Amino acid sequence: MNKILVAQGGGPTAVINQSLVGVVLEARRHKGIDRVYGARHGVRGIVNEDFVDLTQETSHNLELVAATPSSALGSTRDKPDAAYCHKMFQVLKAHGIGHFFNIGGNDSSDVVRIVAQEARDAGYPLRCIHIPKTIDNDLVLNDHTPGFPSAARFVAQAFAGANLDNASLPGVYLGVVMGRHAGFLTAAAALGKKFADDGPHLIYLPERDFDIDRFLADVDAVYKRHGRCVIAVSEGIHAPDGTPMIAKLAQDLERDAHGNVQLSGTGALADLLCEEIKAKLGIKRVRGDTFGYLQRSFVGCVSDVDQREAREVGEKAVQFAMWGDQDGSVAIQRAGHYAADYALLPLEAVAGKTRTMEDAFIADSGTDVTDAFRLYLRPLLGSGMPDAYRLRPAPVAKVLNR
Amino acid sequence: MNKILVAQGGGPTAVINQSLVGVVLEARRHKGIDRVYGARHGVRGIVNEDFVDLTQETSHNLELVAATPSSALGSTRDKPDAAYCHKMFQVLKAHGIGHFFNIGGNDSSDVVRIVAQEARDAGYPLRCIHIPKTIDNDLVLNDHTPGFPSAARFVAQAFAGANLDNASLPGVYLGVVMGRHAGFLTAAAALGKKFADDGPHLIYLPERDFDIDRFLADVDAVYKRHGRCVIAVSEGIHAPDGTPMIAKLAQDLERDAHGNVQLSGTGALADLLCEEIKAKLGIKRVRGDTFGYLQRSFVGCVSDVDQREAREVGEKAVQFAMWGDQDGSVAIQRAGHYAADYALLPLEAVAGKTRTMEDAFIADSGTDVTDAFRLYLRPLLGSGMPDAYRLRPAPVAKVLNR
């Protein structure tokens, strides 16, 4: 019996189940495959032999699961070392798995690389394929990664709304966006902007060093010009020496509430920056939101382009494995304005490496994106992006004029 | 010349521009009305004579603005006293305004009441109509208020996603929802729940006193049962003596970072509750999000029922004023499963009063809603609510079984 195993790793996305279902449905078409197993909670489910038989699932329910966000098999934050990977390999061998598909980001691709090496060393016939997924968009040699476009759409729509809210009740609004090392998702805030005076007026990315004095001067200048200011901030902003700003701010302000807590999954960075603005610039109405888990798990905000591509990387993974008989990492490549194509890259070329935003995508000011980035991201957001309209000014002459 | 004036007050909603456009387009149909003015930034625009002539706007652009969230005329947080209202009346008189429409919540209805009284006292012919709007759903004698259904839809979708995320990577997830005195919006989290073991498992409303020890016991019990826990918390939760929990927690923990800051618009409450759970229950993976402005301004999450009703309250306001020749506050009344009708209530009956969640909507446990609430809210969320699906279990027998 030829069996394949599929697993999902890392943070959930809006479309990761598309890739899962892409693997399952495509695998069912191949005569060489008898069983499709899924590992519960990623690599941990592999070492624990916690498998479900996806061959018994209806194609109808699979399609409904595909359209459901988050990881239907469950995920894990385990980061396997060599010993962990060795155990995984032993389980794969014991179950007679012939093909292993792992859907995830950097860490997941590295696991695939190590397990593939184990199999080669043991002379066991195992095809290992990494299927890309990450809202951070930080896999090298990929035009972009499934999950990023939908999260980017959420961020763009959120800032489009925050801008309208801020225009209605002027003040300073600051939104903190996920992405520890890569600023792509934060930069997506720029796609929420329509009119020239719309926010976000300032965007702070982890690709540029953060300086609190320059930040305050930037905010002050925008506030004086527009009477309001909308700011997108990456959770990964850091001082020139690499210290995360949240740690630095908490320390500088001699505050202990956030000194020893995790750096993300809290509202601390937004709160600390807002307090700085209030204290130093004397602006009263300052509000900060941390987008948190909403940006990766919100049900009902998804890019149809992302859905299609996430499905296809799953399908292509099976095709590469069955017809190409190769290990590797599936990657999306841009093939037009806009079209996508797929390649199988060597695992060593992708595994464990981190892409950050290219300089060509960041404006010289360091607080905005370029048109090259807008051109890059816009088609990925998909169809039906909401648009914002405003009343045209037709002022009425004053009578009392007091 | 007969002129009407329309203004928008308080926090923006996803559909407040529908009401504005409902007034403008309906007013244009009436022969008795020559000009439709809009006040920029609510009551402040009235005292400042900051008006725009909406008669000159195209109906096409008005329709596009109607579908755009937030207040297209701008809003204000000003809470007018008697002197402020007197100034407003003087401006209305100077411009020959014959009808005044104010779209907003409690405070806005009270302004309409005072201005109407001013006009009566001065013997000046002015029809004054309050048009309801608030995501808090806290206007008395209204089945519900425009803006609430769309915000509720956002909250329900957010928790549906957070639940999937939490099921994939188990731990404790806590989301803080707007609503200082009324828990309707927080309670909407329950509509994100589909399967019996789905979150939110616990819901904390301002209608019930909050006790931190009972909260921790609740979380502990759910976590032991399901291996995870999803919690919805109103920003308005308070101790039995009325002290907001955020103030109490910050004080108890001898922390100063949040002691003197505003009680909403920060991530502090979520962070403090998460720290309590980590410290007292020893659970490692605890994450808190504060939904903040996303829940009222997100572009692209709207209830079509809410859109239609928000449009109709605007239209009905003009019809009541022109055909009924009465002052009052427009209210939505439920007329079937599901159908809406509209009434004009006396301003005194609505102005300045606050509705909270009825006991029949809150489960005896105090941490869940009743089916009566589900029946009440579901039709308001509108069509096309996203649904979540899961894989059916088909476990594979273990081989190594280590």
Side-chain angles (χ1 to χ4, degrees):
Chain A
M1 280 231 304
N2 194 359
K3 297 177 194 161
I4 78 162
L5 175 72
V6 57
Q8 297 176 307
T13 78
V15 297
I16 188 171
N17 290 333
Q18 293 283 356
S19 300
L20 169 68
V21 171
V23 168
V24 177
L25 293 182
E26 180 65 15
R28 289 181 177 195
R29 298 203 308 124
H30 287 264
K31 290 219 175 62
I33 298 175
D34 303 299
R35 283 282 183 278
V36 182
Y37 287 176
R40 298 273 303 143
H41 294 289
V43 290
R44 201 191 313 170
I46 300 180
V47 291
N48 292 340
E49 284 188 88
D50 189 4
F51 296 156
V52 290
D53 185 357
L54 297 171
T55 329
Q56 301 179 39
E57 187 55 90
T58 66
S59 57
H60 182 76
N61 196 48
L62 283 170
E63 287 295 351
L64 293 169
V65 168
T68 301
S70 193
S71 312
L73 285 172
S75 188
T76 179
R77 285 291 182 195
D78 282 5
K79 294 196 197 311
D81 55 12
Y84 197 116
C85 288
H86 183 66
K87 272 192 206 158
M88 287 173 58
F89 170 65
Q90 288 178 315
V91 172
L92 295 181
K93 202 173 143 189
H95 281 266
I97 303 293
H99 298 82
F100 170 42
F101 298 91
N102 201 19
I103 309 168
N106 289 323
D107 295 331
S108 301
S109 62
D110 208 38
V111 167
V112 176
R113 182 186 63 78
I114 300 172
V115 170
Q117 187 61 50
E118 284 264 357
R120 268 198 303 277
D121 292 350
Y124 177 82
L126 180 71
R127 284 277 73 83
C128 295
I129 308 269
H130 166 240
I131 298 170
K133 173 269 359 171
T134 166
I135 64 167
D136 293 336
N137 201 38
D138 62 353
L139 292 185
V140 298
L141 303 176
N142 284 259
D143 180 76
H144 60 279
T145 56
F148 166 66
S150 294
R153 183 174 173 132
F154 182 92
V155 170
Q157 290 185 201
F159 272 93
N163 172 66
L164 290 167
D165 197 305
N166 183 260
S168 163
L169 288 169
V172 174
Y173 177 84
L174 184 147
V176 172
V177 182
M178 278 184 175
R180 199 68 67 95
H181 302 293
F184 291 102
L185 195 55
T186 305
L191 279 284
K193 189 169 167 154
K194 178 176 175 174
F195 296 100
D197 59 348
D198 276 346
H201 307 97
L202 297 167
I203 299 174
Y204 294 92
L205 306 166
E207 282 81 359
R208 296 288 178 264
D209 292 337
F210 187 85
D211 179 82
I212 188 73
D213 294 323
R214 206 193 128 196
F215 168 77
L216 291 169
D218 291 344
V219 174
D220 193 45
V222 170
Y223 192 78
K224 282 182 175 139
R225 195 179 331 133
H226 295 299
R228 66 191 192 91
C229 184
V230 176
I231 313 165
V233 175
S234 164
E235 64 175 5
I237 54 166
H238 53 77
D241 68 357
T243 314
M245 277 317 292
I246 181 173
K248 201 165 156 48
L249 282 171
Q251 182 193 338
D252 289 359
L253 297 168
E254 295 187 300
R255 285 186 173 128
D256 62 349
H258 295 300
N260 299 311
V261 301
Q262 79 245 29
L263 303 187
S264 74
T266 88
L269 179 59
D271 287 358
L272 289 167
L273 289 172
C274 285
E275 285 174 45
E276 285 281 334
I277 294 169
K278 275 188 268 193
K280 305 277 171 62
L281 300 182
I283 300 171
K284 264 180 76 178
R285 194 181 157 73
V286 182
R287 298 288 185 272
D289 282 339
T290 304
F291 288 5
Y293 285 15
L294 298 181
Q295 64 202 302
R296 76 178 191 199
S297 293
F298 189 80
V299 171
C301 182
V302 65
S303 155
D304 53 356
V305 170
D306 196 18
Q307 285 181 310
R308 286 197 297 271
E309 293 178 349
R311 175 65 74 99
E312 282 200 287
V313 291
E315 286 191 47
K316 289 304 296 183
V318 173
Q319 295 183 357
F320 283 127
M322 300 303 291
W323 294 339
D325 197 24
Q326 305 172 62
D327 295 339
S329 177
V330 181
I332 301 178
Q333 301 190 327
R334 193 170 294 228
H337 296 287
Y338 169 81
D341 206 348
Y342 304 92
L344 189 71
L345 306 177
L347 285 163
E348 292 71 20
V350 176
K353 295 187 170 65
T354 300
R355 175 189 181 190
T356 56
M357 270 183 87
E358 290 76 10
D359 286 343
F361 285 164
I362 305 174
D364 292 339
S365 66
T367 58
D368 199 2
V369 301
T370 59
D371 282 346
F373 182 73
R374 289 188 189 88
L375 200 64
Y376 164 78
L377 182 53
R378 184 58 193 84
L380 308 185
L381 300 182
S383 58
M385 271 293 284
D387 200 356
Y389 294 85
R390 37 169 89 170
L391 296 167
R392 298 188 183 91
V396 172
K398 296 193 181 199
V399 175
L400 295 176
N401 210 11
R402 289 193 282 214
Chain B
M1 284 236 298
N2 193 357
K3 298 175 192 159
I4 78 161
L5 175 70
V6 57
Q8 297 175 308
T13 78
V15 298
I16 188 173
N17 290 333
Q18 292 283 356
S19 300
L20 169 69
V21 170
V23 169
V24 176
L25 292 182
E26 180 66 14
R28 287 179 178 197
R29 298 202 309 123
H30 286 264
K31 290 222 174 60
I33 297 173
D34 303 301
R35 284 281 182 278
V36 182
Y37 288 176
R40 298 272 303 141
H41 293 289
V43 291
R44 200 191 313 168
I46 301 179
V47 293
N48 292 339
E49 285 188 90
D50 187 5
F51 295 156
V52 290
D53 186 356
L54 296 170
T55 331
Q56 300 179 41
E57 189 54 90
T58 65
S59 57
H60 182 75
N61 196 48
L62 284 171
E63 287 295 352
L64 293 170
V65 168
T68 302
S70 192
S71 314
L73 285 172
S75 188
T76 179
R77 285 290 182 194
D78 282 6
K79 296 197 196 304
D81 56 12
Y84 195 116
C85 288
H86 183 66
K87 271 192 205 159
M88 286 173 57
F89 171 64
Q90 287 178 317
V91 172
L92 295 181
K93 202 172 144 190
H95 280 267
I97 303 294
H99 299 82
F100 170 42
F101 299 91
N102 201 18
I103 309 167
N106 288 325
D107 294 331
S108 300
S109 62
D110 208 41
V111 167
V112 175
R113 183 185 61 79
I114 300 171
V115 169
Q117 188 59 50
E118 284 266 355
R120 271 197 301 278
D121 293 349
Y124 176 83
L126 180 70
R127 284 278 72 82
C128 296
I129 309 269
H130 167 240
I131 299 170
K133 172 264 7 165
T134 166
I135 63 165
D136 293 336
N137 201 38
D138 63 351
L139 293 184
V140 299
L141 303 176
N142 284 258
D143 179 76
H144 60 278
T145 56
F148 165 66
S150 294
R153 183 174 173 130
F154 182 92
V155 170
Q157 291 186 198
F159 272 93
N163 171 66
L164 291 167
D165 197 306
N166 183 260
S168 163
L169 288 170
V172 175
Y173 177 85
L174 184 149
V176 172
V177 181
M178 278 185 176
R180 199 69 65 97
H181 303 292
F184 291 102
L185 196 54
T186 304
L191 278 283
K193 190 171 165 151
K194 178 175 174 175
F195 296 98
D197 60 348
D198 276 345
H201 308 98
L202 297 167
I203 299 173
Y204 294 92
L205 306 164
E207 282 80 0
R208 296 290 179 264
D209 293 336
F210 186 86
D211 179 82
I212 187 73
D213 293 324
R214 204 191 129 198
F215 167 78
L216 290 169
D218 292 344
V219 174
D220 193 44
V222 170
Y223 191 78
K224 281 181 176 140
R225 194 177 332 131
H226 295 299
R228 64 190 193 93
C229 184
V230 176
I231 314 164
V233 174
S234 163
E235 64 176 7
I237 54 166
H238 52 77
D241 67 356
T243 313
M245 277 317 292
I246 179 172
K248 201 163 157 46
L249 281 172
Q251 183 193 335
D252 289 356
L253 297 169
E254 297 188 297
R255 287 188 173 129
D256 62 349
H258 296 298
N260 299 310
V261 301
Q262 78 249 24
L263 302 188
S264 73
T266 87
L269 179 58
D271 287 356
L272 290 167
L273 289 172
C274 285
E275 285 174 45
E276 285 281 335
I277 294 169
K278 273 187 272 192
K280 305 278 170 61
L281 300 183
I283 300 171
K284 265 181 79 177
R285 193 181 159 75
V286 182
R287 298 288 184 271
D289 282 338
T290 305
F291 289 5
Y293 285 16
L294 296 182
Q295 66 202 303
R296 76 179 192 201
S297 292
F298 189 80
V299 171
C301 181
V302 65
S303 154
D304 53 355
V305 170
D306 196 19
Q307 285 181 311
R308 286 196 296 272
E309 293 177 349
R311 175 66 74 98
E312 281 199 288
V313 291
E315 285 190 48
K316 288 305 297 183
V318 173
Q319 294 182 357
F320 283 128
M322 299 304 291
W323 294 340
D325 198 24
Q326 304 171 66
D327 295 341
S329 178
V330 180
I332 300 177
Q333 301 189 328
R334 192 170 296 228
H337 296 287
Y338 168 81
D341 206 349
Y342 304 92
L344 191 70
L345 306 176
L347 285 163
E348 291 72 18
V350 177
K353 296 185 171 66
T354 301
R355 174 189 181 190
T356 55
M357 269 183 86
E358 290 76 9
D359 286 342
F361 285 164
I362 305 175
D364 291 340
S365 66
T367 57
D368 199 1
V369 301
T370 59
D371 282 345
F373 182 74
R374 289 188 188 88
L375 199 64
Y376 163 78
L377 182 53
R378 185 57 194 83
L380 308 184
L381 301 182
S383 59
M385 272 293 284
D387 200 355
Y389 295 85
R390 37 170 91 168
L391 296 168
R392 298 189 183 89
V396 172
K398 296 194 182 200
V399 175
L400 295 176
N401 211 11
R402 289 192 282 216

